[in-house]
Amino acid sequence: MITRGYEAWVRDFEVERERRATAPEPAWERGARVHPAIWRSMRRFHVGESGDGANLIAKADRAGDAAYARAVRLFVAEEQNHARLLGLLLGAGGVPPLTSHWSDTVFVRLRRLLGLRLELLVLMVAEVVALRYYRALRDGTDDALTTRVAGAILADEERHVPFHCERLREAFARMPRPVGRLALLGWRALLLSAALVVAGDHGSALRGFGVGRVRFVRDVMASAGPVVRSILDRAV
C-alpha cells in the first residue's frame, strides 16, 4: 500500500473546498417531498453531522503533525457542510431539525473519552454506516433535491474513509500483531452493534429505500472487510 502523505490529503480537501465554493447551490426553493419516515430518519442523521469537531481537532494537534492537523480541520469542515446541507434539505421539506438524539449523545461521549487512535476507530464506525445509509438515501427516493444532497454527502464519505484508514494504518504499524488483530475484531463487533441500532431505529426509512433492516446490516458488515484490510496492510 502506497501512502499519500498528509500534504496530499490537505491538497485534496482544499481542491474539494474550492469546488464547493464555486458550485451552484441546490434549488432549495423548489422544496422536497419524501415519506415522513424518511424525514424522521434524516433528522436523526442531521444531529450526528452537527458536531463542531473540536475534540478531534485538539487530539490531531497534539499528535504533532501539522499537515495531518490541517487535514483534520478540513475534514471537520466537510462534515459541518453535511450538517448544513441536511439542515437546508429539512427546511426545504418544511421539517424542523432535532436538537439532540440519544444515539448521538452516547456516540460523542464515548469518543471524547478516548485517545486519537481509538477515537478514529469509533469515528470509522459512523463513517462506514454512513456510506451505506447515504447510498440508500440517494438511490431509494425519487425526490431530486434529496438525491442530490445524499449523493454529495456520499461522495465526501467515500473520501473520508481512506483518509482515516491511512492514519490508523500508521498507528497499527506500531502495535504488536496480536493486539492489532484483536482491536480490529473489537471494531467489527462495535460496527455490528451500531448497524443493528441504526437498522432498528431507521427501519421504516430503510424499507422505504427498498433496502430493509437485514440487508442494511449485511451490507454494512460486508464493507468492513476492505476497511480492515486497508488498516492492516503493511501494518501487522
Side-chain angles (χ1 to χ4, degrees), residues 5-24:
Y6 295 113
E7 293 83 0
W9 280 111
V10 169
R11 290 193 295 272
D12 180 87
F13 281 118
E14 288 178 339
V15 166
E16 179 59 22
R17 181 184 62 187
E18 294 304 313
R19 187 202 63 78
R20 286 198 309 271
T22 58

Side-chain angles (χ1 to χ4, degrees), residues 197-229:
V197 169
V198 172
D201 203 28
H202 299 257
S204 296
L206 294 174
R207 286 194 298 272
F209 300 148
V211 174
R213 290 184 172 97
V214 173
R215 180 181 167 190
F216 179 82
V217 173
R218 185 178 66 239
D219 289 351
V220 168
M221 296 311 297
S223 67
V227 170
V228 169
R229 287 192 293 272

Side-chain angles (χ1 to χ4, degrees), residues 131-215:
L131 282 175
R132 186 63 186 99
Y133 178 82
Y134 287 116
R135 180 156 58 91
L137 181 61
R138 181 196 64 185
D139 299 341
T141 69
D142 56 6
D143 179 76
L145 192 58
T146 301
T147 297
R148 177 172 174 180
V149 169
I153 295 175
L154 177 62
D156 286 345
E157 300 291 7
E158 288 172 341
R159 292 169 35 255
H160 294 172
V161 168
F163 169 60
H164 295 310
C165 280
E166 182 157 334
R167 186 70 185 188
L168 287 167
R169 190 159 51 244
E170 293 176 1
F172 274 69
R174 298 189 292 270
M175 298 170 62
R177 181 176 302 184
V179 174
R181 294 193 180 278
L182 184 61
L184 287 172
L185 184 63
W187 180 80
R188 284 181 184 265
L190 183 60
L191 178 64
L192 175 59
S193 298
L196 289 170
V197 169
V198 172
D201 203 28
H202 299 257
S204 296
L206 294 174
R207 286 194 298 272
F209 300 148
V211 174
R213 290 184 172 97
V214 173
R215 180 181 167 190

Side-chain angles (χ1 to χ4, degrees), residues 61-197:
D61 286 343
R62 290 196 294 270
D65 185 327
Y68 176 67
R70 173 62 177 161
V72 166
R73 282 175 167 78
L74 293 164
F75 156 75
V76 169
E78 287 194 359
E79 292 290 317
Q80 291 172 339
N81 186 57
H82 297 172
R84 183 186 73 87
L85 290 173
L86 286 175
L88 289 169
L89 180 59
L90 290 170
V95 178
L98 289 175
T99 57
S100 65
H101 189 259
W102 69 267
S103 59
D104 182 66
T105 300
V106 171
F107 190 77
V108 170
R109 288 181 178 175
L110 175 62
R111 285 173 50 192
R112 287 178 177 173
L113 293 172
L114 305 173
L116 177 60
R117 180 174 60 202
L118 291 177
E119 174 159 0
L120 288 178
L121 282 172
V122 175
L123 179 59
M124 280 288 285
V125 167
E127 297 284 82
V128 171
V129 170
L131 282 175
R132 186 63 186 99
Y133 178 82
Y134 287 116
R135 180 156 58 91
L137 181 61
R138 181 196 64 185
D139 299 341
T141 69
D142 56 6
D143 179 76
L145 192 58
T146 301
T147 297
R148 177 172 174 180
V149 169
I153 295 175
L154 177 62
D156 286 345
E157 300 291 7
E158 288 172 341
R159 292 169 35 255
H160 294 172
V161 168
F163 169 60
H164 295 310
C165 280
E166 182 157 334
R167 186 70 185 188
L168 287 167
R169 190 159 51 244
E170 293 176 1
F172 274 69
R174 298 189 292 270
M175 298 170 62
R177 181 176 302 184
V179 174
R181 294 193 180 278
L182 184 61
L184 287 172
L185 184 63
W187 180 80
R188 284 181 184 265
L190 183 60
L191 178 64
L192 175 59
S193 298
L196 289 170
V197 169

